[in-house]
Amino acid sequence: MAARNPRPDLPLLARRFGTPLYVYSQDDIQERLVRLRKSFRRPGTLICYALKANSSRAVCRILAQAGAGAEVVSGGELLRAGAAGFSPDKTVFSGVGKTAEEMSLGLRRGILSFHVESSEELDALEYLARRLRKPAPYCVRLNPDVQARTHPHVTTGRAENKFGVEEADALAMARRGRKSPWLRFQGLHCHIGSQIRDTGPFGRAAAAVARILRLLEAEGLEVSLIDMGGGFGISQQGEGALDLAGLARTYSRAFAAWPRARLIIEPGRYLVAEAGILLTRVLYRKKTSRRRFVVVDAAMNDLARPALYGAFHPIVALRPRPGLRQRVDVVGPICESGDFLARQRLLPPVEPGDILAVRQAGAYGFAMSSQYNSRPKPAEVLVSGRKTRLIRRRETIRDLICQEIG
Ligand code: LLP
């Protein structure tokens, strides 16, 4: 959480709501949105928040109320976006496997665009649009085959990735808008990956998009949307964040020839990652001949990123004790060696009962949590100025079993 905004009394929150506990700062989220808007000055630019990063209603509501749009990837996210107050005409729907039910929901709601990722998906969309008598607005998702130099699990713009279509298919799918009364071609979509800190790959993707726009223009096909996706990297270990103003300039230059087309960006992590922390309590310390372990009450089911991607999350003790810092593995109670929040991390001495804050946990934290090992999901709290509000109660053991039958 940013130092500028009033600091919540985190030890008090841990006592009041228990641990593990997700805590988000409303002020930080709002501030990040303002910063994005200041950087992306191209008139009409629409910021569609990628709900997958953090789909808690209270968090979404902050962004919806501030006028952001939404990027969704499932019927569930579409419903959540609506419930949080995002307007359908600012909602875009991506994903390689939209079902007929999900697309029908989007059509009935009147969303801004279906970002179509295959020709068969376009067939299905056309069929549903005809049946519902509602023409479907769509963008074609281009796979520009650029290397984003990020974790392989979150790279989406290479030819070997499942996302989007190649240039020739993109052109063919765009042309179908001209032939079918049930399809309204809007433009192109592209999202090359996540946690990218270098503008280079975004620039190469924009050049690929511009190349197709020129070809479409030559055929007389009009483009009203250019959606360049999200993926804006944050600084994790002081290595520097993505240069937002530089990226905005790159996009402005690449798309200068289409001033009437609306630019869309779809940030998730950038808006919420640093606005959230995970509070966890130290349970035990233990030592083997090779390692020192700090066992805490949060685990990979609460925050999967370290286990899944080897992701780095800064960890600080709320009340650091004096003494030499030591290299420790911070691990949870789950029965897997992959269950760690940090490995070989220098931490000041800790004792059972101490509270640690795992930072940059606002994005892909709770959203990716599970009940693995039959662990109820943590509570979530939103802090705004000096006010604190429980926005999701801690799950109970009963929640774990209540859906089982027989
Ligand atoms: N748009 C599309 C089409 C996406 O697939 C994504 C993320 C975004 C926007 C938002 O990307 P962001 O701005 O947050 O980087 N679970 C991984 C990240 C997966 C991202 C998936 N797609 C993690 O924890 O790092």
Side-chain angles (χ1 to χ4, degrees):
M1 296 188 178
R4 266 184 309 291
N5 296 323
R7 297 209 144 221
D9 184 344
L10 294 175
L12 179 72
L13 293 187
R15 272 202 305 279
R16 188 163 151 211
F17 298 103
T19 52
L21 180 72
Y22 275 99
V23 183
Y24 311 117
S25 156
Q26 171 157 355
D27 302 333
D28 284 2
I29 296 171
Q30 285 164 336
E31 206 172 288
R32 303 287 281 192
L33 183 64
V34 169
R35 259 197 265 169
L36 263 190
R37 285 193 169 134
K38 282 195 180 144
S39 303
F40 286 84
R41 287 157 183 253
R42 181 180 155 112
T45 299
L46 178 61
I47 298 174
C48 286
Y49 169 57
L51 260 77
K52 61 178 83 59
N54 186 327
S55 55
S56 294
R57 186 160 62 230
V59 167
C60 291
R61 206 172 263 152
I62 298 168
L63 292 160
Q65 276 171 1
E71 185 264 346
V72 303
V73 290
S74 67
E77 282 191 357
L78 193 53
L79 283 175
R80 278 184 179 279
F86 288 106
S87 147
D89 63 9
K90 289 185 189 167
T91 299
V92 296
F93 192 170
S94 336
V96 294
K98 304 176 196 76
T99 64
E101 290 75 24
E102 291 173 320
M103 288 193 277
S104 301
L105 184 63
L107 281 169
R108 282 196 300 269
R109 295 240 158 155
I111 62 170
L112 176 61
S113 172
F114 291 87
H115 290 354
V116 178
E117 309 217 15
S118 66
S119 158
E120 292 196 354
E121 184 194 335
L122 195 56
D123 295 341
L125 184 63
E126 183 181 20
Y127 170 80
L128 291 167
R130 182 182 305 124
R131 230 182 45 188
L132 293 175
R133 315 245 128 227
K134 280 183 184 273
Y138 74 101
C139 288
V140 178
R141 177 163 179 181
L142 175 71
N143 183 324
D145 195 22
V146 299
Q147 173 63 277
R149 287 198 294 276
T150 181
H151 193 283
H153 288 185
V154 296
T155 301
T156 51
R158 297 305 309 272
E160 61 265 34
N161 299 139
K162 66 179 173 179
F163 298 98
V165 296
E166 293 178 343
E167 188 174 307
D169 293 328
L171 287 168
M173 286 164 66
R175 287 181 196 121
R176 283 182 55 183
R178 205 158 33 196
K179 291 187 216 128
S180 169
W182 302 107
L183 293 176
R184 300 246 155 94
F185 174 69
Q186 306 287 309
L188 294 178
H189 174 230
C190 185
H191 169 81
I192 56 172
S194 197
Q195 183 51 21
I196 304 168
R197 288 181 295 104
D198 169 11
T199 53
F202 291 111
R204 287 191 284 284
V209 167
R211 197 164 51 240
I212 301 191
L213 291 178
R214 272 192 292 275
L215 295 172
L216 293 174
E217 198 172 41
E219 297 184 17
L221 265 161
E222 213 169 298
V223 166
S224 56
L225 299 177
I226 304 172
D227 185 339
M228 290 304 294
F232 309 166
I234 59 169
S235 175
Q236 294 173 315
Q237 300 181 64
E239 69 289 61
L242 175 73
D243 169 15
L244 279 186
L247 180 63
R249 273 196 305 277
T250 301
Y251 286 167
S252 292
R253 272 200 291 266
F255 307 124
W258 299 275
R260 287 211 307 270
R262 182 164 213 198
L263 177 68
I264 301 181
I265 51 172
E266 305 173 341
R269 186 189 317 272
Y270 176 84
L271 287 169
V272 292
E274 290 173 281
I277 57 172
L278 173 63
L279 294 182
T280 183
R281 186 180 303 271
V282 175
L283 297 173
Y284 309 109
R285 295 162 296 176
K286 63 185 279 185
K287 217 160 61 174
T288 67
S289 51
R290 304 233 177 104
R291 292 268 163 120
R292 286 174 195 278
F293 295 96
V294 172
V295 185
V296 297
D297 67 357
M300 66 190 281
N301 72 297
D302 304 303
L303 180 65
R305 304 192 67 256
L308 210 50
Y309 318 113
F312 179 95
H313 284 265
I315 298 184
V316 293
L318 291 190
R319 296 207 170 105
R321 295 174 184 275
L324 275 186
R325 295 199 301 165
Q326 280 175 333
R327 244 173 234 293
V328 297
D329 282 13
V330 181
V331 301
I334 280 186
C335 301
E336 291 199 26
S337 296
D339 177 28
F340 63 90
L341 298 179
R343 278 195 165 144
Q344 294 298 283
R345 187 71 61 84
L346 266 180
L347 283 188
V350 294
E351 287 182 20
D354 287 1
I355 306 290
L356 304 181
V358 183
R359 305 182 66 175
Q360 302 188 339
Y364 307 109
F366 187 90
M368 292 177 75
S369 66
S370 76
Q371 297 168 329
Y372 185 42
N373 274 205
S374 290
R375 290 169 50 84
K377 292 191 183 193
E380 297 179 289
V381 159
L382 183 68
V383 177
S384 169
R386 309 211 169 274
K387 283 195 289 241
T388 298
R389 186 158 65 88
L390 183 67
I391 56 170
R392 193 183 203 271
R393 69 161 171 80
R394 182 175 304 285
E395 287 187 353
T396 62
I397 305 269
R398 187 178 288 271
D399 291 324
L400 295 178
I401 55 173
C402 65
Q403 276 152 136
E404 290 176 36
I405 299 164

